[in-house]
Amino acid sequence: MGSYISSQTVKKVIEINKYLLGTMAGGAADCQFWQRNLGTQCRLFELNNGKRITVRAASKLLSNTMFSYRGMGLSMGTMVAGWDPTGPGLYYVDSDGQRTKGQVFSVGSGSLYAYGVLDAGYSWDMSVDDAIELGRRSIYHATFRDCASGGTVSVYHVTEDGWKKVRGDDVTECHFEYYPDPSNHPSTGTPQQEKVQQLEEPQEQQQQQQQQPKQRQKKQNKLLTEEKLRRLKEQHDRRGIVYLSRLPPHMKPAKLRQLLGQYGELGRIYCTPEHKGAQQQRKKKGGNSGKNFTEGWVEFEDKAVIPCKNFTEGWVEFEDKAVAKHVAASLNGQQIGGRRRSAYHYDLWTLKYLPKFKWDHLTEEINYEKAIREQRMAQELAAAKRERDFYLSRVDRSKAMAAMEARRAGKGGAAAAAAAAAGGGAAVGGDAAAGAAGGGDAAAAAGGGGGLKRVYGQRQVKLDPAAPGAAQIGADVLGLLVGPKVKKQRAQ
């Protein structure tokens, strides 16, 4: 059974309330039922809080409802447009719970054809009439190329006073309005006269342009106007940062961009490399691998694809903070999924949206940590240098003291030998007892070898000659001492 279109006059713009509109793409029953349900929730919100619901809150209610029924066969892609006290708002919500804020959207099977016309004619400073005409032309080309895009063109204009239906035309009328001459229609294959004139450029002129050497143009720094500065500031304020407290092993920034890029437009991504000490400990214990190996060599054809170390945490910048909030709220704690053979199929997302946090704060923190690390390294190097200088000075001093001790030891040994020789000669020249005692002391002093020691034998206590047991001086000794004097007295 082939495709079947029951009606081309279905009203594809659903009026939720006076200030909110919703479009229909996908299953007609799903879109009509859930957008009527959204209208009920908006009315209850107004009764409970005493004020009109904002476009952001209404789209969030629909997104939460779709997320709770995700994977149950719903088919819906809708735009929620409206006006609230904060101004106009336009959001895209689908049956998977995805919610995105934007300025221009085209949803449905013919959206690609409508985007081609929108991108060519859209500008920021369009008037209301030009915008209405651009919308009509976009829908007409979508219905001409896609049979499931309907047969009517409904144009609504939303202001602070509510929505207003401007036009509701049949696509057949639009066809003859835009192309009264069938030969000028792009589908006939006959180019228009203006395009023919543009294509008929002389070949000689093309050859001359190719032969002319290309002059190198100097890059000129153009000053930004106030309008461009204002737009850049608005883009900077719209961005949001999502923090990943843990990255699965082997996940690189390119893969992270691929996984999160499907939910919204991404800006910059920064991932913190794994610390070298932690990497060594992980490899030592066999982390992220089944076996432990000591070393190995792998050759790559291109050195640009050599794998680097793992990453521990990361920051992802979304161009729209609403998308960042939705991604963090919907994916946190969920399984990453993908191919079952991937290394992180069963890992969980650990996401957190950082309110009032910009990329400048992250770069400042990184530079601050880098400066602290460099300062700490300089202090450690200075301390190591001081320790080295102190050690070398102590070594030099120890060598000098050892040399002094060696010289002192040499001088002390020579002096002790001289003293021992002098003490033995004195004992022979004196009396026998005293000489013996003196020689013994001198020998003891010489045997000690501790240095020069002078010993005086006359200081030792002498025994009383009258005392019993005292040593008596022999006559031969007395004769030697007093013999000449006695002879002299006798001769007298």
Side-chain angles (χ1 to χ4, degrees), residues 249-444:
H250 312 298
M251 178 177 284
K252 303 300 184 288
K255 187 62 179 180
L256 182 62
R257 180 180 293 275
Q258 177 185 356
L259 292 175
L260 295 181
Q262 58 184 343
Y263 301 102
E265 185 178 358
L266 301 183
R268 291 162 287 190
I269 294 179
Y270 175 76
C271 298
T272 304
E274 186 180 17
H275 192 267
K276 188 174 182 180
Q279 182 185 12
Q280 293 176 354
Q281 290 292 331
R282 175 175 57 81
K283 290 184 177 180
K284 183 178 179 181
K285 297 179 180 179
N288 299 336
S289 62
K291 297 181 180 180
N292 292 333
F293 299 94
T294 56
E295 57 184 358
W297 293 265
V298 180
E299 181 182 9
F300 288 86
E301 295 295 335
D302 187 3
K303 62 181 180 181
V305 300
I306 297 178
C308 60
K309 53 189 175 184
N310 292 338
F311 297 91
T312 57
E313 56 183 356
W315 289 262
V316 180
E317 181 185 37
F318 284 83
E319 293 296 335
D320 191 351
K321 65 175 67 176
V323 180
K325 292 179 182 178
H326 173 73
V327 170
S330 59
L331 295 184
N332 186 33
Q334 300 295 324
Q335 185 176 334
I336 294 179
R339 296 185 305 171
R340 292 185 178 274
R341 297 183 62 182
S342 65
Y344 32 82
H345 173 79
Y346 295 100
D347 280 290
L348 302 180
W349 287 112
T350 55
L351 305 175
K352 180 181 180 182
Y353 175 73
L354 303 178
K356 299 181 180 180
F357 187 84
K358 300 298 180 183
W359 199 261
D360 300 337
H361 301 158
L362 177 60
T363 55
E364 290 177 1
E365 181 67 20
I366 294 173
N367 294 332
Y368 175 71
E369 292 179 355
K370 182 179 179 181
I372 291 179
R373 187 167 56 252
E374 292 177 353
Q375 185 177 3
R376 186 182 297 111
M377 181 65 68
Q379 292 177 355
E380 292 178 357
L381 290 176
K385 185 177 179 181
R386 287 195 300 268
E387 292 179 0
R388 183 201 62 186
D389 295 342
F390 177 77
Y391 173 75
L392 293 178
S393 64
R394 289 295 181 181
V395 169
D396 294 339
R397 183 176 178 182
S398 176
K399 291 181 179 179
M401 293 180 66
M404 293 173 62
E405 291 291 339
R407 288 195 299 269
R408 288 177 181 176
K411 290 181 180 180
V428 172
D431 79 63
D441 293 335

Side-chain angles (χ1 to χ4, degrees), residues 167-322:
R167 302 189 63 167
D169 303 327
D170 190 273
V171 293
T172 307
E173 299 176 1
C174 296
H175 177 79
F176 291 105
E177 178 183 351
Y178 293 138
Y179 300 100
D181 187 4
S183 61
N184 292 332
H185 196 275
S187 63
T188 60
T190 304
Q192 299 179 8
Q193 189 66 24
E194 297 179 357
K195 295 183 180 180
V196 172
Q197 294 178 0
Q198 294 177 1
L199 294 175
E200 292 179 352
E201 185 174 341
Q203 296 182 358
E204 297 180 357
Q205 185 177 358
Q206 293 181 0
Q207 293 178 358
Q208 292 178 1
Q209 293 179 357
Q210 292 178 359
Q211 293 177 359
Q212 290 179 357
K214 295 183 179 180
Q215 298 180 357
R216 189 174 182 180
Q217 298 180 357
K218 295 183 178 180
K219 186 177 180 180
Q220 298 180 356
N221 296 327
K222 297 182 180 180
L223 297 177
L224 296 177
T225 60
E226 294 183 358
E227 181 66 20
K228 290 184 178 180
L229 288 175
R230 184 183 62 80
R231 292 180 183 178
L232 290 175
K233 187 177 183 302
E234 290 179 356
Q235 293 178 359
H236 181 268
D237 295 339
R238 283 200 304 267
R239 293 170 182 164
I241 307 295
V242 172
Y243 171 67
L244 289 86
S245 60
R246 176 187 175 274
L247 287 177
H250 312 298
M251 178 177 284
K252 303 300 184 288
K255 187 62 179 180
L256 182 62
R257 180 180 293 275
Q258 177 185 356
L259 292 175
L260 295 181
Q262 58 184 343
Y263 301 102
E265 185 178 358
L266 301 183
R268 291 162 287 190
I269 294 179
Y270 175 76
C271 298
T272 304
E274 186 180 17
H275 192 267
K276 188 174 182 180
Q279 182 185 12
Q280 293 176 354
Q281 290 292 331
R282 175 175 57 81
K283 290 184 177 180
K284 183 178 179 181
K285 297 179 180 179
N288 299 336
S289 62
K291 297 181 180 180
N292 292 333
F293 299 94
T294 56
E295 57 184 358
W297 293 265
V298 180
E299 181 182 9
F300 288 86
E301 295 295 335
D302 187 3
K303 62 181 180 181
V305 300
I306 297 178
C308 60
K309 53 189 175 184
N310 292 338
F311 297 91
T312 57
E313 56 183 356
W315 289 262
V316 180
E317 181 185 37
F318 284 83
E319 293 296 335
D320 191 351
K321 65 175 67 176

